Structure formats: structure tokens, C-alpha cells
Amino acid sequence: MLTTLAWGLPPNIWGWVILFFIAIHFSIHQLADGLNLKAMTDTIPPAFRDFYEPQKYRQALAYQRSTLHFGQIVAVADLLALLAFWWGGGFAMLDRWTRALAWSPLATGLVFIGIVVGLKALFHQPLNFYATFGIEARFGFNQATVAIWMTDRLKGLLVALILGIPLLAGVLLFFQYAGGAAWLWCWLLVSLFTIGIQFVAPKWIMPLFNRFEPLADGPLKTAILAYARSIGFSLNNVQVMDGSRRSAKSNAFFTGFGRHRRIVLFDTLIKGHTVDELVAVLAHEMGHYQLRHILKMMVLGILQTGLVLYLMSLVIQSSALAAAFHVPMPSIHAGLVFFGLLYTPVDFLIGLLGQQLSRRHEYAADRFAAITTGRAQPLIDALRKLSVHNLSNLYPHPLYVLLNDSHPPVLQRIAALEAIETSRRVV
């Protein structure tokens, strides 16, 4: 039986169903990418005519086309690699080799999943290297050296091992010994991990990759602290991150909870914006916190995890699912990997809802910033400058936005902010 299942097309209906959904998922994203390329136009939108030089705008179009084309190539490469490993008997060979070690179920599972994840990561490293030192460098964004790039990968691997192995071990052990309640115990474990990482990451993980320093005294710090007090937001300082060490792109973000929370400005952002614009950007980030967007998304993520684990518990030891990947004997660790592919359509639909909610949150945070600062124009100008500096796509196709973007198109955000400004003037 092992010989007949060692390689080739899926041997049962489970495999064909998984293949069908993978093909549909791939095709929809390739269609969206193609439509996004066609939606680009050489015409600078009126909202950006005072911000974009024609040559700079042509550079933005070239950058977007390059990244989209490369993304299509990566998607094709991922699909071909998966099919080659699947149909070439890779899962069967890996299963046979790990079983031959005659280790405990836990050790066997960790090795099996570790190799699958490691192979995928190794496959992506040359692609990531080209994206960084090819595309990003060609358009003036990359600031990292090869040494920094390699060090980041080694640090990321170390963090993944330290955090991932205990979490994965817990999941495997619960499914091995906790019976019908295993998914509930796994849900509790993963939920605690998700919450805990919000406190650990700002203090221990992020500083491994970047340097964070308090914002220096001056007009910007005074304005930010004054605004925070005006909305009742407890803030002792703002952190400045050395983003320019790796990329010329600009950004700001909020992370963590309680005394571990951080509002972070990239050093590149500070250099390119006025005090009013920077206050508006941080008002947007504070808006996410004040409106409980971060908490809501985390709760929804935890609920989604519960759904995933429950559905996984129904099929994780299915012999039919294992056979779909040419593995003759089911196991918890192999079932976990195979379920990740079976779950594709559910993940796709939940992802659409999550992206839609995220875009609504962005509009709400924009509105919060405009109302609490008393003006929408500084945030509008900041969005314009950020889009120009980051060579953003000003005309994304609606299908591409639906599938991929957690933020609304910048022209729509500007229009919404202008409507707020107009309504305030009327009142």
C-alpha cells in the first residue's frame, strides 16, 4: 500500500477537494493582481497634483508593477513547490523517515512539522533576498546590508524556536492525550500565548531587531503629550525606531497593552513631516486604541482560533486526509499540516471579513483623529506625503483591495476626511 500511495495525483476525494480549493484561491488572487495592474493609470489624481512630480509618479507606477509581477511569480513558485512535494511523495517520505527514528510521538511531531516549516522558509529566502536587494534597492528603499539581512533571519529563527516549540509541543500533547476536549485545551493555550505576546513583544522581542529611543524634548514631543492629555490618553513618552537602518519607507504603529504599550514613530517619518502632521498620525494610532480596535481584533482572532482548532479536531486523525497526501497511516502532526491546506476556503472567507473590518477601523481612526485634533487637513497632508514617499498605488482595483488590503485606498480615505472637514465648516 505504501508503494501505491508514494507519489502521483491525489488518490481520493479529499485530495481533489483540497486541490480544487487551492486552485480557486490561486486563480482569484492572480486575477486580482492582473486587474490591479490594468487599473494603474498614468494620470496623477487631482488630490496629488501638488505632491507628485511626473517623474516621481512614473517611478511609483514602475515600483507597483515590479512588486505585483514579483508577487505573481512567488505565488506560482509556491504552488509548483507544493504540488511537486505533494505529488512527488515528499510528505510520504518525510513521514516514513520520521517514524523510522522511533522517537516519542511528541518528538516525531516536532521534527516532522519543523522540517515542513523549515523547507518552506528555506525556499522563500532567495525570493526574499531578491525582493530586498533587487526590487527595494532599485527603487531606493532598501538600506539594509547583507549582514543585517542575515542577522535578522537568524534572530527570527531563534525567536521562532524559543516561542514556537513550546506552543507546538503543547498543541501536539493535548491532541495526543486530552481526547475530545483537546481542542478546548489547545484554544486556552493559544489564547494565553496570543495575549502574553502582546506584553512580551514590545519589551523583549522588538528591541532585538531595532533600536527604540524616547522622542527628544522639543515642539513635537510637547504637542504630542498635550494632545494625549486632551483625549485622556495616558502617555509618558513616544518611541522613535531606527527604521532607516533597513528601509527608507515611513510608518508609525501602536503595540502592546497597559504599561507595556508603545506608540512608535519611524525616524524616516519624523524627517518628512510637520509637527501638525505627526500629531495627526499619532492621533490616528491613538484612535485605534481608544476605539478598542486592537482589543476587538485580538478577540476576533482568538474566536477564529477556536473555530480552527474545533474543525481541526474533527479531521486531524482522519486516515482519508492522510491518504490524500500519500501518507498511509494518520498522525496528529501530519494531520495538523494537512488541515492547514484543507482549511483554505474557510481561511479565505474569514480573511475577507477581517480585512473588511480592518478597513472600517481605519476610517474610524481617521475620523477620530480629525475630530479630536480639530482639523482633518494635517492628516490628509500626512497621507499624501506618506503615499508619495512610499510609492503607494493610488488606483488599486476593488477586487485587489477586497482580497489583500487592511487599509482603504488613500484617495477614499482623503475623500472621507475632506467630507468631515466640510461638515465641520458647515456646522
Side-chain angles (χ1 to χ4, degrees):
M1 184 177 180
L2 181 61
T3 303
T4 60
L5 293 179
W7 60 274
L9 296 174
N12 61 26
I13 189 63
W14 285 73
W16 286 106
V17 168
I18 293 170
L19 182 60
F20 172 77
F21 284 124
I22 289 174
I24 291 295
H25 183 269
F26 172 82
S27 300
I28 291 175
H29 277 274
Q30 289 293 304
L31 173 63
D33 288 348
L35 292 173
N36 207 33
L37 286 166
K38 290 183 178 179
M40 294 181 189
T41 172
D42 294 335
T43 303
I44 301 175
F48 279 82
R49 284 176 184 162
D50 294 335
F51 289 79
Y52 249 130
E53 295 291 334
Q55 182 178 356
K56 184 75 171 179
Y57 185 68
R58 287 193 295 271
Q59 183 186 24
L61 292 178
Y63 175 67
Q64 289 298 323
R65 289 178 179 130
S66 294
T67 54
L68 272 171
H69 283 308
F70 183 67
Q72 289 179 308
I73 292 171
V74 171
V76 172
D78 280 344
L79 179 61
L80 293 177
L82 171 62
L83 296 181
F85 192 76
W86 179 1
W87 296 352
F91 289 113
M93 288 186 288
L94 180 58
D95 179 72
R96 188 164 58 247
W97 180 79
T98 53
R99 287 182 186 275
L101 295 174
W103 291 351
S104 69
L106 175 60
T108 302
L110 291 174
V111 172
F112 183 96
I113 295 175
I115 291 175
V116 171
V117 174
L119 288 175
K120 185 175 182 179
L122 285 174
F123 178 76
H124 278 102
Q125 293 317 304
L127 299 171
N128 184 280
F129 187 89
Y130 174 76
T132 302
F133 295 97
I135 297 174
E136 296 295 306
R138 186 163 74 248
F139 288 93
F141 287 129
N142 180 51
Q143 305 292 321
T145 64
V146 174
I148 290 175
W149 184 87
M150 293 182 66
T151 301
D152 283 348
R153 263 99 207 122
L154 292 174
K155 290 179 180 177
L157 174 61
L158 180 62
V159 171
L161 292 174
I162 292 175
L163 297 179
I165 289 178
L167 179 64
L168 177 59
V171 170
L172 292 174
L173 286 172
F174 280 132
F175 273 113
Q176 185 74 38
Y177 298 110
W183 73 274
L184 283 171
W185 287 108
C186 288
W187 190 15
L188 176 62
L189 173 66
V190 176
S191 298
L192 292 175
F193 178 87
T194 301
I195 295 170
I197 206 71
Q198 298 296 321
F199 296 92
V200 172
K203 186 173 183 180
W204 301 105
I205 299 177
M206 292 167 58
L208 293 175
F209 299 90
N210 289 95
R211 186 173 66 253
F212 295 86
E213 296 179 350
L215 179 65
D217 293 337
L220 176 57
K221 183 175 181 179
T222 299
I224 291 172
L225 294 179
Y227 168 75
R229 287 194 296 271
S230 74
I231 62 170
F233 187 91
S234 178
L235 182 68
N236 295 323
N237 60 65
V238 177
Q239 299 288 316
V240 179
M241 190 183 87
D242 60 339
S244 60
R245 188 165 176 251
R246 290 173 178 80
S247 175
K249 291 183 177 180
S250 300
N251 205 351
F253 62 91
F254 186 102
T255 185
F257 289 100
R259 62 187 180 88
H260 298 281
R261 66 187 182 187
R262 280 187 176 181
I263 291 184
V264 180
L265 291 170
F266 283 34
D267 53 0
T268 49
L269 184 72
I270 295 175
K271 294 177 182 177
H273 294 268
T274 66
V275 169
D276 285 346
E277 290 165 1
L278 291 168
V279 171
V281 169
L282 285 186
H284 171 95
E285 298 301 328
M286 292 181 196
H288 281 308
Y289 188 85
Q290 296 289 80
L291 297 173
R292 300 185 183 277
H293 292 163
I294 299 171
L295 180 61
K296 290 175 182 177
M297 294 302 284
M298 187 174 70
V299 170
L300 289 175
I302 290 174
L303 292 176
Q304 180 183 352
T305 299
L307 174 63
V308 170
L309 291 167
Y310 172 72
L311 294 176
M312 184 188 300
S313 71
L314 301 179
V315 300
I316 194 169
Q317 297 194 68
S318 166
S319 58
L321 179 60
F325 292 88
H326 310 299
V327 173
M329 187 180 299
S331 64
I332 291 171
H333 53 266
L336 193 152
V337 173
F338 302 153
F339 176 80
L341 297 170
L342 177 64
Y343 184 69
T344 297
V346 181
D347 185 56
F348 175 76
L349 294 175
I350 292 178
L352 293 181
L353 296 175
Q355 298 280 48
Q356 173 65 20
L357 180 60
S358 177
R359 291 191 292 270
R360 289 179 57 184
H361 285 172
E362 292 303 318
Y363 282 125
D366 284 348
R367 181 177 181 82
F368 179 93
I371 292 175
T372 56
T373 61
R375 290 188 300 158
Q377 196 59 48
L379 184 55
I380 291 173
D381 290 342
L383 289 173
R384 286 169 171 160
K385 289 182 180 180
L386 277 168
S387 297
V388 172
H389 181 77
N390 294 337
L391 301 181
S392 301
N393 185 3
L394 303 183
Y395 292 106
H397 191 274
L399 180 60
Y400 185 88
V401 174
L402 177 70
L403 297 178
N404 299 285
D405 289 350
S406 60
H407 288 56
V410 67
L411 291 176
Q412 294 180 18
R413 293 178 68 182
I414 289 173
L417 285 165
E418 288 176 339
I420 295 171
E421 190 76 2
T422 301
S423 64
R424 289 175 60 86
R425 290 171 181 168
V426 171
V427 174

